[in-house]
C-alpha cells in the first residue's frame, strides 16, 4: 500500500477522515459534555499533520489528473469525511488506477 503514490494517497485519505472524526469527538466533549480540551489538544495537531500529508499526496498525483479532479481532491479535504468520498469516487472512475510501467506495456504490446 505504501509503495506507490496511489497507495499513500489512499492511506492519507482514510487517515484524514479518521482524524476528522477524532477532532469532532474532541470538540463535542470540549463544548458539550465536560468542557475538557484534551481531545482537541490531541486530535487537533494530529489532524493538522495528516491534512497537510493528504494535500501533498493529492498534489503528487496532480500530473495524472485533469484540473477539475485535482481541485475536487483538494476541496474534499475541507468537509469532514470528504476525502473518503473523493477516494471512492476517484477509484470507481479509474482515476486511481496504477500506471503501467514501460516493461508491462511492451510485454502487453508484444502479446497482442
Amino acid at each position: 500500500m505504501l509503495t506507490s503514490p496511489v497507495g499513500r494517497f489512499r492511506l492519507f485519505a482514510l487517515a484524514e477522515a479518521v482524524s476528522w472524526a477524532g477532532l469532532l469527538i474532541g470538540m463535542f466533549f470540549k463544548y458539550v459534555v465536560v468542557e475538557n480540551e484534551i481531545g482537541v489538544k490531541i486530535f487537533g495537531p494530529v489532524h493538522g499533520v495528516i491534512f497537510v500529508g493528504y494535500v501533498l499526496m493529492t498534489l503528487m498525483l496532480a500530473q495524472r489528473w485533469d484540473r477539475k479532479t485535482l481541485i475536487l481532491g483538494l476541496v474534499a479535504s475541507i468537509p469532514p469525511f470528504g476525502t473518503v468520498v473523493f477516494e471512492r469516487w476517484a477509484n470507481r472512475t479509474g482515476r486511481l488506477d496504477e500506471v503501467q510501467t514501460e516493461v508491462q506495456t511492451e510485454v502487453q504490446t508484444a502479446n497482442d
Side-chain angles (χ1 to χ4, degrees), residues 9-102:
F9 173 80
R10 287 181 169 154
L11 177 68
F12 272 94
L14 179 62
E16 203 272 343
V18 170
S19 71
W20 243 124
L23 185 57
L24 290 173
I25 291 168
M27 290 186 335
F28 176 75
F29 277 95
K30 177 181 178 181
Y31 294 111
V32 177
V33 179
V34 292
E35 298 181 8
N36 187 338
E37 295 184 10
I38 192 71
V40 175
K41 285 183 178 181
I42 292 171
F43 283 105
V46 169
H47 176 69
V49 168
I50 295 173
F51 171 82
V52 170
Y54 173 82
V55 169
L56 291 174
M57 290 298 111
T58 303
L59 293 173
M60 283 180 64
L61 294 176
Q63 75 274 5
R64 321 173 85 188
W65 296 336
D66 58 3
R67 183 172 288 166
K68 176 186 168 190
T69 304
L70 175 62
I71 291 170
L72 284 173
L74 293 172
V75 170
S77 66
I78 298 170
F81 314 111
T83 56
V84 172
V85 173
F86 175 77
E87 187 271 333
R88 300 278 170 114
W89 171 80
N91 189 42
R92 188 177 64 248
T93 58
R95 287 170 171 83
L96 291 180
D97 290 344
E98 295 291 340
V99 177
Q100 291 183 343
T101 63
E102 269 185 48

